[in-house]
Amino acid sequence: MKLWDHPMSENDFRQCLRIATGATLGFTICKLFGWNYGVFFTVVPMLLLGMVPVMSAHAARQLFAAAIVCGLEVGILGGLFGGHPGIMTLIVFVLFLYKFACMSKGPLFLFGANSVLSLSIMLHFASYPGVDLNELIFGNLLASVLSVIIAYLVTFLIPDAEPRQPPPRPSEPKGSHRMRHEALLGASIATLSFLVFQVFDLNDSMSAQATTLLLLFPMHWNGALGYARKRAMGTLLGVSFGVAGQLFLYDWADMLVLIIPLLWIGAMIFSYMHVKESSGSGAGFGGLTTLGILFGQYLTPGNDLIFSALYRVSSIFFAIVVTLLVTYLVHRLLNSFEATRFHVAS
């Protein structure tokens, strides 16, 4: 498995600085103001700055749209049909279906990707007893607004050294068969993930649930298989850094002045890996999101990050194996039909 296939340029190094600084700023502001759902404020800047090398108004609009749409979906549909599991399952499938369709088409990939993660995380949090749904929705919206502001700020403070070349266009547009395959594959696995975490009441396995969705970002079976190995490696590295950080902090885990530089160093390391891989969702990106979840959600006074980290890594590895098995079965099923066959060009 080749990871380091991309030479590091000055622009790449500055992107690493933007990712690490942006995620740390989001985490710091959240903690200073005592806001809940620190995972949103830490992970969303990572996603935005990691997936969009150069911040643009188009990316900002997609992030805002994802937060608003997911908030309305969870608030209205979840409120109306949350007590009806059968209807809610069908609704969740439709919601995931159009989000993965946006990802498959390309121009709205960021909207679809952030919507998939936001919807999954908010549904996950909403399953906790006593959760304030309004606070959850506005917390996600605030995190998105803050992430866009942070992204523009770090882009202004740490600009690229030279203009970037536009990303290469695909040699051939995707066929309708492939887009249907990708949308149905993603929606099916995401809905099954939602059902499993609801039926078994896995309220404390957000990392594993996020992993089942991140595995789908390559949008096809071969990509999911390749990403699974990188995600497992990134998760192990992210958890190892979290455990080492907890041991280093020891009884000072509630001192923000010590946590902030530790998070920045970890984010910088995994940002470097992410940029060197140049593969979108790889080991570096997996380590980043794992680190963001651990620090943003579980590193709190009185909480044992080591137990959380070990529980996280075991649940993530189990989720990877099960998700790959189900993905392969759904992939084979969809390839049985002409209209949803992945390899057939239009």
Side-chain angles (χ1 to χ4, degrees):
M1 180 169 53
K2 187 177 180 180
L3 295 178
W4 312 107
D5 58 352
H6 180 73
M8 176 68 72
S9 66
E10 180 64 23
N11 279 357
D12 294 329
F13 178 70
R14 291 177 180 232
Q15 184 185 359
C16 293
L17 290 173
R18 290 196 293 266
I19 296 172
T21 305
T24 305
L25 276 174
F27 171 84
T28 304
I29 293 171
C30 169
K31 296 303 178 182
L32 287 175
F33 284 94
W35 295 332
N36 292 325
Y37 309 112
V39 63
F40 290 139
F41 296 90
T42 311
V43 173
V44 174
M46 290 177 173
L47 293 174
L48 180 58
L49 293 164
M51 296 174 67
V52 183
V54 180
M55 188 59 192
S56 65
H58 180 58
R61 287 192 295 267
Q62 290 188 70
L63 200 67
F64 289 151
I68 293 170
V69 169
C70 289
L72 291 173
E73 290 168 350
V74 173
I76 298 175
L77 298 177
L80 290 175
F81 303 105
H84 305 277
I87 298 176
M88 193 63 192
T89 300
L90 293 176
I91 291 173
V92 167
F93 176 80
V94 173
L95 297 180
F96 280 127
L97 182 64
Y98 88 82
K99 296 180 195 313
F100 277 102
C102 291
M103 293 174 65
S104 181
K105 290 181 179 179
L108 295 178
F109 184 89
L110 182 60
F111 166 79
N114 197 67
S115 294
V116 165
L117 285 174
S118 294
L119 180 64
S120 175
I121 290 175
M122 284 199 287
L123 289 174
H124 178 93
F125 275 123
S127 65
Y128 283 71
V131 166
D132 187 334
L133 197 57
N134 290 326
E135 183 185 15
L136 173 63
I137 294 170
F138 283 104
N140 181 51
L141 181 59
L142 178 59
S144 298
V145 173
L146 183 63
S147 296
V148 169
I149 295 173
I150 288 174
Y152 275 115
L153 177 63
V154 295
T155 301
F156 173 75
L157 295 176
I158 315 172
D160 280 340
E162 56 187 11
R164 288 178 181 261
Q165 295 296 322
R169 292 182 176 273
S171 55
E172 295 182 3
K174 288 184 181 180
S176 58
H177 306 80
R178 175 172 174 174
M179 287 193 288
R180 284 192 288 265
H181 181 102
E182 291 176 344
L184 287 170
L185 176 70
S188 300
I189 304 302
T191 305
L192 286 173
S193 172
F194 166 76
L195 284 175
V196 168
F197 280 85
Q198 292 300 300
V199 170
F200 292 98
D201 195 24
L202 302 176
N203 289 335
D204 199 32
S205 301
M206 184 175 59
S207 300
Q209 188 176 15
T211 294
T212 62
L213 300 173
L214 289 169
L215 286 178
L216 302 173
F217 276 23
M219 305 295 292
H220 54 87
W221 158 247
N222 291 334
L225 180 62
Y227 174 63
R229 293 180 294 174
K230 294 180 180 180
R231 172 69 185 181
M233 180 186 298
T235 297
L236 184 60
L237 292 173
V239 166
S240 298
F241 186 90
V243 171
Q246 175 76 38
L247 293 174
F248 174 77
L249 294 174
Y250 198 57
D251 290 336
W252 299 330
D254 57 343
M255 296 185 65
L256 194 61
V257 69
L258 298 179
I259 297 173
I260 291 172
L262 197 63
L263 173 61
W264 187 89
I265 292 171
M268 189 64 187
I269 292 171
F270 293 118
S271 298
Y272 178 84
M273 290 178 57
H274 169 63
V275 171
K276 287 286 288 182
E277 287 176 278
S278 187
S279 62
S281 296
F285 198 70
L288 264 177
T289 53
T290 299
L291 191 70
I293 292 172
L294 285 174
F295 274 73
Q297 190 61 26
Y298 299 106
L299 187 60
T300 57
N303 193 17
D304 184 4
L305 182 62
I306 293 180
F307 173 79
S308 297
L310 296 178
Y311 174 71
R312 229 57 57 198
V313 73
S314 60
S315 62
I316 285 173
F317 285 155
F318 181 77
I320 286 174
V321 173
V322 174
T323 302
L324 283 179
L325 175 61
V326 177
T327 301
Y328 176 74
L329 295 175
V330 176
H331 166 79
R332 290 294 300 271
L333 176 64
L334 292 174
N335 266 0
S336 301
F337 303 96
E338 184 75 18
T340 57
R341 190 166 295 162
F342 181 79
H343 294 292
V344 177
S346 60

